[in-house]
Amino acid sequence: MRFLHCSDVHITEDYFALPLHKLGWRRWVALVELTAGGRAKAYRNAQATLSAIARDAGTHGVDHFILSGDLTAYALEGEFRAARAALAPLAPTPARCTVIPGNHDVFTPGAARAGRFAQHFGDLLESDLPEYRREGAFPFVRLIGEGAAVVGLCSARPLPTPGLSYGSVGPAQLEGLAALLKDARLDGRAILVVVHHAPKSPANHADGWHHGLHDADALLKLLPGPRFAVLHGHIHQRYHHPATEDRPHLFGAGSSTQAGKEGYWLIEVQDGVIVGGTKHVPAL
């Protein structure tokens, strides 16, 4: 079986064409990142690149497409609409596509309160085993064929101020995941757990407190060995830490649409075990 994993596509509206009073102060701060930081230029073609990655899923004959959060730059309605349009070939059915939110998708309290991510992608949060949900739609699980399951977690929370981007899965979702993993319907399947924040940095260390996944150790403890993988984004580098006896594979998809760094993972599953992955660049 084959899975395509991408992340952090950051589809970006033209912020200077929008009324400033509608952006809110958090996005005013973000304008510095968009301009002086170069983010607007880096993601100018993000929607077209995401569309190309979605087409590549068909070219490679993947069994399931996974996007581990940060569909948007700063959680504007138009950014969500554009992300959904880019995924049009895949998004109509949860059996083909898993999408979870990232911290940029709940960038403002208003976007979080309105459930803007769920408004556009709620149909992709359905679960084949809904009895294990503990926090809204999470964790949800999708049974893929006879040999794999994809589990979606949410680590993205509204934070008090820009500059902080840490996350946590939380005890409720972790308890639901632990119960789910004991279900006999998952026996013999490879388990791909999708979360936005990175359990480990490219250097195989914990990420910084202000940016990292605060309950990473508790998550990894539930997923020992090569039957398991955690697929994440958040850190804009593409890397893989192979599984050990005590820890799952870790696949960081980087930022799949960033100009000059476009790419994604194709992850291979065989006989209920994750056997590895290869990096690919979209056919733009």
Side-chain angles (χ1 to χ4, degrees), residues 146-193:
E146 298 295 326
V150 175
V151 178
L153 301 175
C154 181
S155 61
R157 317 280 178 177
L159 297 176
T161 182
L164 297 175
S165 56
Y166 58 83
S168 63
V169 175
Q173 289 183 60
L174 289 171
E175 183 275 323
L177 175 61
L180 168 65
L181 294 173
K182 297 174 183 177
D183 193 302
R185 289 168 288 185
L186 269 63
D187 288 353
R189 294 176 181 267
I191 311 296
L192 292 81
V193 176

Side-chain angles (χ1 to χ4, degrees), residues 15 18-31 74 76 107-109 162:
Y15 279 65
L18 300 171
L20 282 176
H21 71 278
K22 291 188 177 181
L23 293 178
W25 71 269
R26 293 169 188 265
R27 295 192 186 95
W28 295 347
V29 174
L31 288 175
Y74 300 108
L76 282 175
F107 189 75
T108 66

Side-chain angles (χ1 to χ4, degrees), residues 9 18 21-22 30 62 83 90-91 110 115 125 127 145 154 162 169 172 205 229 243 251 253 264 274 284:
V9 297
L18 300 171
H21 71 278
K22 291 188 177 181
V62 304
L90 300 164
L125 304 180
S127 181
C154 181
V169 175
H205 301 307
F251 288 95
Y264 54 86
I274 294 128
L284 299 173

Side-chain angles (χ1 to χ4, degrees), residues 39-270:
R39 185 177 284 264
K41 182 179 180 181
Y43 294 99
R44 181 171 52 200
N45 297 318
Q47 184 178 3
T49 304
L50 180 56
S51 294
I53 294 171
R55 290 193 300 271
D56 281 5
T59 303
H60 292 298
V62 304
D63 295 277
H64 201 75
F65 179 99
I66 297 168
L67 202 170
S68 55
D70 277 2
L71 288 84
T72 67
Y74 300 108
L76 282 175
E77 184 75 26
E79 294 170 345
F80 281 109
R81 286 198 301 268
R84 182 77 194 206
L87 293 175
L90 300 164
T93 169
R96 299 183 65 197
C97 185
T98 291
V99 180
I100 62 163
N103 59 295
H104 278 257
D105 302 320
V106 292
F107 189 75
T108 66
R113 284 194 302 270
R116 198 164 290 160
F117 176 87
Q119 288 174 17
H120 292 274
F121 292 96
D123 58 320
L124 298 181
L125 304 180
E126 295 177 6
S127 181
D128 291 334
L129 303 176
E131 62 268 34
Y132 295 106
R133 289 174 170 168
R134 297 295 186 270
E135 184 180 354
F138 302 95
F140 65 83
V141 62
R142 202 142 297 139
L143 304 177
I144 310 299
E146 298 295 326
V150 175
V151 178
L153 301 175
C154 181
S155 61
R157 317 280 178 177
L159 297 176
T161 182
L164 297 175
S165 56
Y166 58 83
S168 63
V169 175
Q173 289 183 60
L174 289 171
E175 183 275 323
L177 175 61
L180 168 65
L181 294 173
K182 297 174 183 177
D183 193 302
R185 289 168 288 185
L186 269 63
D187 288 353
R189 294 176 181 267
I191 311 296
L192 292 81
V193 176
V194 188
V195 67
H196 178 65
H197 291 77
K200 296 287 183 181
S201 72
N204 207 15
H205 301 307
D207 198 3
W209 182 91
H210 70 290
H211 192 263
L213 181 64
H214 284 186
D215 44 10
D217 289 344
L219 173 62
L220 297 181
K221 187 177 180 180
L222 295 174
L223 307 168
R227 180 187 170 209
F228 301 98
V230 174
L231 281 53
H232 67 84
H234 198 51
I235 295 177
H236 288 189
Q237 297 179 50
R238 199 161 294 115
Y239 56 98
H240 171 217
H241 295 309
T244 67
E245 290 185 4
D246 301 319
R247 194 183 72 186
H249 290 276
L250 303 178
F251 288 95
S255 181
S256 293
T257 61
Q258 185 176 356
K261 298 181 180 180
E262 299 91 344
Y264 54 86
W265 284 103
L266 286 182
I267 298 170
E268 303 285 343
V269 170
Q270 184 175 344

Side-chain angles (χ1 to χ4, degrees), residues 271-284:
D271 298 326
V273 173
I274 294 128
V275 295
T278 54
K279 298 178 185 179
H280 290 259
V281 176
L284 299 173

